[in-house]
Amino acid sequence: MHDADFISSHRTALDFPDGTQALAGLDLSIGRGEVVSLVGPSGCGKSTLLRLVAGLLQPSKGTLTIAGMEPARARREGHACAFVFQSPTLLPWRTVEANLTLPLELLKLPRTARKARAQELLELVGLSEFRTSYPARLSGGMRMRVSLARALAARPKVLLLDEPFAALDDLTRSRLQEELLSLRVREEVTVLFVTHSVTESVFLSDRVLVLSPRPGRVVGEVAIPFGPERTPDLRSTAEFARLTGCVSRLLATGSAS
Amino acid sequence: MKAFLARALPPLLSAVVFVALWHAWTQAFGIPAYLVPGPSEVLREAWENRADLLPASLVTLAGAVAGFLLSLAVGLAMALVFAQARWIRASLYPYAIFLQTVPIVAVAPLIVLWCGAGFASIVLVSFVLSIFPILSNAVLGLTRIHPELEELFALHDASRFQTLFKLRLPHCVPSVVAGAKVSAGLTVIGAIVGEFFAGYGAHTPGLGTLILQANGQMKTGLLFACVGASTLLGLCVFLATGLVAHLLLRRLEEPESRH
C-alpha cells in the first residue's frame, strides 16, 4: 500500500438488484490527504461510489480498498470514515451538542471526552452559542455546519461529501466552501466530494474526476494546482476560468459519448 | 391570553346561539320533555343527579385511562416486535388490522363471557377499540426512517441495541403521539361501550350503565345529561393528551409553525 493509492478501486462495478448498472469498470486511485471532486451527470453513480468507499454497499465486481483493506474493515482499523449527506440528517430530538457527539456516543467514548470534543467542534464551525439549541431552531446553513462538524467528530481519515451544499443559497454556500478549505488545512483528512457545480469542484479540490453517464466510469480528470491555501479571489482569476472550462468540456464530451 | 380568547370566543358564541335556538324551539312548539327536553330541563336533571353523574364520570374516566395505558403499552410492545423484520410484519400485520375492523359490539359480549362483568372487561373493550392507531403509528415511526439516518448509524457500526435506543425509539415518538391522540378519543367511547355490556358488574355505575338505566326508565333529561357528561369527558381526555403531546414535541417544532 502506498500513500498514492490510499483509496483505490480496480475495475469496480456495481449492479443494483433491479438490474441497473450504477458503476462499470471504475478505476481510480486517491492519495492520502488529497481532496478529489467527482462531477458527472445526474444518476451517473457518484453517490453510489461514495457509498462503496464508506462500505455501505459492496461492489458486484472488482475491488475497492482503503489502505489496502476492505472499507468496512479499514474503518474499524484506524481509518474512520465520515459521510456528509445532501441533507443535514440531524436528529431533531437532540440538541446541537448531542448531535455533534452522536458518533462518539456510538463509539462508546466517555462523557467527559465527548463534552471536550463538542466544545472544539462548536468553536470550529462557530456555533458555540447554539450548543443547547434544537435543529428546528437553526437555519439551513447552520444545520449543514452542524452536519459537517458531526462528520469530523470522530477525527475521520476519510471524509465523504455528497453534494452537501446543493440546497443552500449562494452566500451560505461560499462561506461553507471556505470553511471546508480551512478544515483540510487543519485536519489530516482525505476528502471525496461529489458535486454538480463545476466551479465548486475546481475551488475546493486538488483533482477533479469527471464521470460518464450511467454506468459511471472516469472519463477524464483535471489537476487543480492551487495548493491548499485558497482565498475567495481565486474564483475570479484567469487560471480558475481556464480550469472550469476544461472540466466543463470533459463533462460535455463525456456525456455525449 | 388575547390569542386564547380569540380562539375560544367563536365556538363559545356558536354554543350560546345553539342553546338559545334549542330552548326557543322546545318552548315555541311545546315539545314534550320525554322526547326532547329543553336545555334548562337537562341542566336541572344533571344537577339533581349530580350524586350519580359525577362518580359515574370518574368511573368511566378510570376505565378509559386504564384502557388507554394498556393500548399504549401493548401497542408499543407489539410494534417493537413488528419492527424487527419485514417478514414478521408481512405475516402478522394483516391480523393486527383485525383489531381495527372487528365490530366491537360483537366482541364485547365475548370479552364479558371470558373475563366476567366488571372493570376488567370494560378496560379490555376500551383497549381493543383504541390499540390500532397506536400500533400502526408506532410501526410506522419505528420503520419509516430516512435511509441516510440508518446509513449514518451503520457507518459507525452501531449495534442493533444502539440503533433501537438512539434512533428508532426517539424517532417514533411523534407518530406514537399522533396515534395516541386518536386513541384517546376512542378509549372513552370504548369504556362507555364496555359499560353497556359489563357495567352491571361494577361497584359504581359508569356513564354507560347510567345511559342504559336512563333509557330504560324513559328519563330523557338524564339521558341528555349523560350524553353531555360523556362528551365533556372525551373533550377533557382529548385536551389532556394534546397538552402532553405539546410538552413532548415542542422542541421538535420549527418556531414558525407554532401558533
Side-chain angles (χ1 to χ4, degrees):
Chain A
M1 195 269 298
H2 300 289
D3 270 4
D5 26 75
F6 179 56
I7 301 173
S8 157
S9 87
H10 182 65
R11 304 218 153 273
T12 308
L14 187 106
D15 308 328
F16 283 118
D18 66 358
T20 44
Q21 279 191 306
L23 296 168
L26 185 99
D27 289 307
L28 97 154
S29 87
I30 291 162
R32 194 190 288 269
E34 205 177 5
V35 177
V36 174
S37 285
L38 299 166
V39 296
S42 300
C44 73
K46 305 180 294 267
S47 301
T48 306
L49 177 57
L50 288 196
R51 281 172 171 78
L52 283 171
V53 176
L56 293 168
L57 291 172
Q58 306 301 322
S60 320
K61 283 188 221 100
T63 55
L64 190 144
T65 56
I66 298 175
M69 292 174 271
E70 242 177 51
R73 208 181 122 216
R75 73 169 183 247
R76 277 178 222 123
E77 304 208 352
H79 302 285
C81 182
F83 209 117
V84 180
F85 301 95
Q86 190 167 353
S87 59
T89 60
L90 301 179
L91 303 181
W93 57 87
R94 282 176 171 245
T95 61
V96 166
E97 182 181 41
N99 263 294
L100 287 179
T101 54
L102 176 73
L104 308 179
E105 248 178 82
L106 296 177
L107 296 169
K108 301 202 172 83
L109 251 72
R111 198 183 158 76
T112 45
R114 298 202 307 255
K115 280 261 174 201
R117 182 66 178 144
Q119 194 63 41
E120 288 173 22
L121 292 165
L122 284 167
E123 278 164 28
L124 186 72
V125 292
L127 287 173
S128 295
E129 55 187 302
F130 295 97
R131 187 172 66 87
T132 56
S133 303
Y134 286 88
R137 297 295 170 114
L138 304 181
S139 69
M142 277 149 73
R143 284 178 209 170
M144 199 33 100
R145 267 145 76 192
V146 177
S147 187
L148 260 178
R150 177 184 63 191
L152 298 170
R155 299 182 196 283
K157 293 290 179 288
V158 180
L159 181 59
L160 307 167
L161 301 110
D162 190 3
E163 297 185 47
F165 308 145
L168 301 175
D169 62 274
D170 277 345
L171 199 71
T172 316
R173 188 182 311 135
S174 335
R175 283 238 317 275
L176 286 180
Q177 285 171 357
E178 283 147 35
E179 276 179 32
L180 194 65
L181 278 176
S182 66
L183 275 179
R184 71 157 299 195
V185 178
R186 272 176 286 174
E187 313 260 334
E188 187 65 31
V189 57
T190 307
V191 181
L192 255 177
F193 190 96
V194 163
T195 176
H196 266 115
S197 155
V198 173
T199 48
E200 186 170 74
S201 71
V202 173
F203 185 62
L204 290 178
S205 45
D206 300 319
R207 196 146 56 99
V208 179
L209 298 181
V210 181
L211 270 71
S212 68
R214 196 198 305 248
R217 64 203 158 73
V218 180
V219 289
E221 66 171 81
V222 178
I224 313 293
F226 292 135
E229 309 268 357
R230 301 177 188 189
T231 58
D233 303 336
L234 187 66
R235 291 199 191 90
S236 42
T237 61
E239 180 65 359
F240 191 86
R242 191 184 69 77
L243 289 166
T244 50
C246 280
V247 176
S248 298
R249 265 193 304 283
L250 273 172
L251 254 178
T253 52
S255 305
S257 67
Chain B
M1 193 61 204
K2 218 172 183 174
F4 175 76
L5 273 180
R7 272 205 303 164
L9 214 54
L12 277 177
L13 273 176
S14 55
V16 168
V17 171
F18 174 74
V19 170
L21 283 176
W22 173 17
H23 179 77
W25 177 61
T26 49
Q27 290 293 309
F29 295 94
I31 312 278
Y34 66 86
L35 270 184
V36 182
S40 54
E41 173 73 9
V42 171
L43 274 180
R44 200 178 52 76
E45 282 282 349
W47 180 251
E48 275 175 7
N49 291 287
R50 63 188 184 279
D52 287 330
L53 268 178
L54 207 65
S57 302
L58 291 177
V59 164
T60 303
L61 179 67
V65 169
F68 177 71
L69 293 179
L70 192 63
S71 31
L72 198 61
V74 177
L76 272 179
M78 280 171 76
L80 278 174
V81 174
F82 281 19
Q84 292 312 305
R86 194 180 294 270
W87 65 266
I88 301 183
R89 282 198 291 288
S91 43
L92 292 182
Y93 203 74
Y95 302 104
I97 295 174
F98 172 78
L99 289 170
Q100 165 93 326
T101 54
V102 64
I104 192 67
V105 286
V107 178
L110 276 178
I111 292 177
V112 179
L113 185 68
W114 294 329
C115 304
F119 192 67
S121 289
I122 295 169
V123 171
L124 270 178
V125 171
S126 160
F127 160 78
V128 171
L129 202 63
S130 63
I131 186 177
F132 191 76
I134 290 177
L135 172 64
S136 61
N137 275 280
V139 170
L140 213 67
L142 286 168
T143 55
R144 205 164 288 175
I145 291 178
H146 201 295
E148 293 182 342
L149 282 177
E150 305 205 60
E151 287 181 330
L152 178 72
F153 275 68
L155 196 62
H156 292 94
D157 299 303
S159 65
R160 231 183 147 76
F161 199 68
Q162 283 177 322
T163 313
L164 178 65
F165 279 94
K166 293 184 194 294
L167 180 61
R168 292 190 191 285
L169 277 177
H171 182 269
C172 85
V173 170
S175 27
V176 170
V177 166
K181 276 181 169 173
V182 178
S183 288
L186 292 173
T187 198
V188 176
I189 300 175
I192 291 172
V193 172
E195 285 165 354
F196 265 58
F197 290 93
Y200 60 86
H203 285 297
T204 318
L207 285 172
T209 320
L210 221 54
I211 289 173
L212 275 185
Q213 286 172 3
N215 199 31
Q217 297 163 11
M218 285 290 274
K219 288 185 179 168
T220 317
L222 180 59
L223 188 62
F224 268 63
C226 288
V227 170
S230 319
T231 313
L232 269 179
L233 192 64
L235 191 68
C236 289
V237 171
F238 178 78
L239 288 177
T241 340
L243 184 69
V244 173
H246 174 71
L247 291 176
L248 269 174
L249 301 180
R250 66 182 157 176
R251 298 177 311 190
L252 312 183
E253 286 166 6
E254 305 237 1
E256 301 86 55
S257 72
R258 297 183 71 179
H259 12 241

